[in-house]
Amino acid sequence: MQVTITETSYEIDELQIACQRLNNSNTKIIALHGWQDNSNSFLPLINKMPQYDWYAIDFPGHGLSSWRSKQAHYYFIDYVDDVYRVLQKIAPNEKVIIVGHSMGAMVANLFAACFPDKVKCVIAIEGLACVTTPDSEVTAQLRNAIESRAKPTSKRVFKRFDQVVNARLAVSDLDYDNAALIMKRNTQQVEDGIKLLTDPKLKHHSGFRFSPNQCQAICTDTTVPMLLIKALNGFKMISQAIENYGQLYTNLGVIEIPGGHHCHMEYAHVIAKEVDVYVNGVN
């Protein structure tokens, strides 16, 4: 049975943050998607967990949300600020559950470390800690970022929607239907064909990353209950992150489920049961 999802948005300065809502009186869940995905990636899971009050947002530059200004770039830490600003509007005086996938899981982790008073628990799907750069590579990281900004943008209009989906399939482990679900919200029909809505600057190299030592401090400061959901055929970096940082968390549980990196779309029914049990245990 399909649940009724409504569209809304929240204004942050001059940015419009798009959000898909499942209105319910139960505990609020804030859903944070991965890099170059959007809130549609959570629709399979929302449909399996209709008893919760869902807020699935599109990060700036993704889906139906605004792009950052021409002078701005997409720094990981700014997504944490986006979450803070949205929560000030929807849940200023209550703790919420944050469900994050991939980059969104890392954003949720850093947010929980900074604002444990605003988070009941974190469900991290195929994402833990943060992507780091060793101290010895800081200048190379910055150089790559600056050079990537100077490169021309590739063509972003396709003749047919299936071409968009196939382009996404070429760089992911998604199946066709799930790739189409994500790209439906990342595209717009225009006179010339199908236009991508994602900001091309998302593909620029990051000019700044935390060092491994800084990442360790973030993990140590993450004191709220946190469940990491690792996919059997997911990203290898997740296993490495568990090895490097898992012991630093105050309250980290880890489970493994079938599927690939987008296991929350492939096996939404499995994750829904695990999350419901975990959340009720936290409560």
Side-chain angles (χ1 to χ4, degrees):
M1 182 182 73
Q2 294 291 311
V3 298
T4 301
I5 304 293
T6 58
E7 287 281 353
T8 189
S9 65
Y10 303 98
E11 185 173 354
I12 299 176
D13 296 328
E14 297 181 355
L15 288 176
Q16 290 293 329
I17 305 298
C19 177
Q20 298 196 70
R21 289 276 290 111
L22 174 58
N23 202 345
N24 200 305
S25 59
N26 205 336
T27 305
K28 288 181 172 62
I29 294 183
I30 314 302
L32 308 177
H33 63 78
W35 180 64
Q36 294 202 101
D37 285 354
N38 54 62
S39 57
N40 269 12
S41 66
F42 283 102
L43 292 183
L45 188 58
I46 293 173
N47 273 282
K48 297 297 183 180
M49 300 181 68
Q51 69 272 34
Y52 291 94
D53 194 16
W54 283 89
Y55 295 77
I57 69 169
D58 293 337
F59 282 125
H62 298 76
L64 303 185
S65 286
S66 303
W67 294 4
R68 300 202 191 277
S69 68
K70 291 183 179 180
Q71 295 78 24
H73 295 277
Y74 290 87
Y75 289 98
F76 174 72
I77 55 175
D78 287 331
Y79 293 128
V80 177
D81 180 58
D82 296 328
V83 174
Y84 179 84
R85 302 286 293 278
V86 169
L87 280 182
Q88 288 296 94
K89 294 180 179 291
I90 65 177
N93 300 310
E94 62 181 294
K95 290 187 175 183
V96 300
I97 299 164
I98 304 182
V99 177
H101 170 247
S102 195
M103 181 188 78
M106 297 180 186
V107 173
N109 192 158
L110 182 53
F111 182 88
C114 294
F115 303 102
D117 56 309
K118 297 184 178 299
V119 181
K120 181 171 292 186
C121 65
V122 171
I123 310 298
I125 305 168
E126 278 283 289
L128 183 70
C130 57
V131 179
T132 63
T133 294
D135 293 344
S136 60
E137 298 178 14
V138 167
T139 53
Q141 178 77 29
L142 181 57
R143 174 176 175 151
N144 288 338
I146 292 172
E147 289 179 340
S148 73
R149 295 174 186 177
K151 293 179 180 179
T153 302
S154 59
K155 183 180 179 181
R156 294 171 53 81
V157 177
F158 296 77
K159 290 183 178 180
R160 303 186 315 273
F161 181 68
D162 67 290
Q163 293 176 323
V164 178
V165 177
N166 287 327
R168 181 61 193 262
L169 289 174
V171 293
S172 73
D173 63 351
L174 289 159
D175 62 28
Y176 188 93
D177 288 343
N178 284 328
L181 181 60
I182 291 174
M183 297 314 296
K184 181 180 179 181
R185 195 171 174 88
N186 272 350
T187 54
Q188 180 183 38
Q189 181 75 52
V190 294
E191 185 176 350
D192 296 337
I194 308 295
K195 175 185 177 182
L196 291 178
L197 294 177
T198 47
D199 191 338
K201 289 192 295 185
L202 290 172
K203 292 189 175 182
H204 292 172
H205 292 180
S206 176
F208 165 80
R209 286 179 181 161
F210 290 110
S211 70
N213 285 340
Q214 289 174 317
C215 185
Q216 289 176 10
I218 292 168
C219 299
T220 300
D221 286 344
T222 306
T223 57
V224 305
M226 184 168 171
L227 177 65
L228 171 63
I229 299 176
K230 176 182 179 293
L232 181 63
N233 298 311
F235 283 1
K236 293 181 179 179
M237 64 180 289
I238 307 303
S239 296
Q240 189 63 54
I242 295 171
E243 182 178 338
N244 291 344
Y245 305 113
Q247 73 281 3
L248 299 174
Y249 289 86
T250 301
N251 190 353
L252 176 66
V254 181
I255 62 171
E256 186 174 74
I257 71 162
H261 186 57
H262 287 79
C263 55
H264 62 312
M265 302 184 75
E266 299 172 280
Y267 290 90
H269 62 291
V270 176
I271 289 183
K273 292 179 181 178
E274 294 286 357
V275 171
D276 196 45
V277 169
Y278 183 80
V279 167
N280 287 325
V282 170
N283 287 338

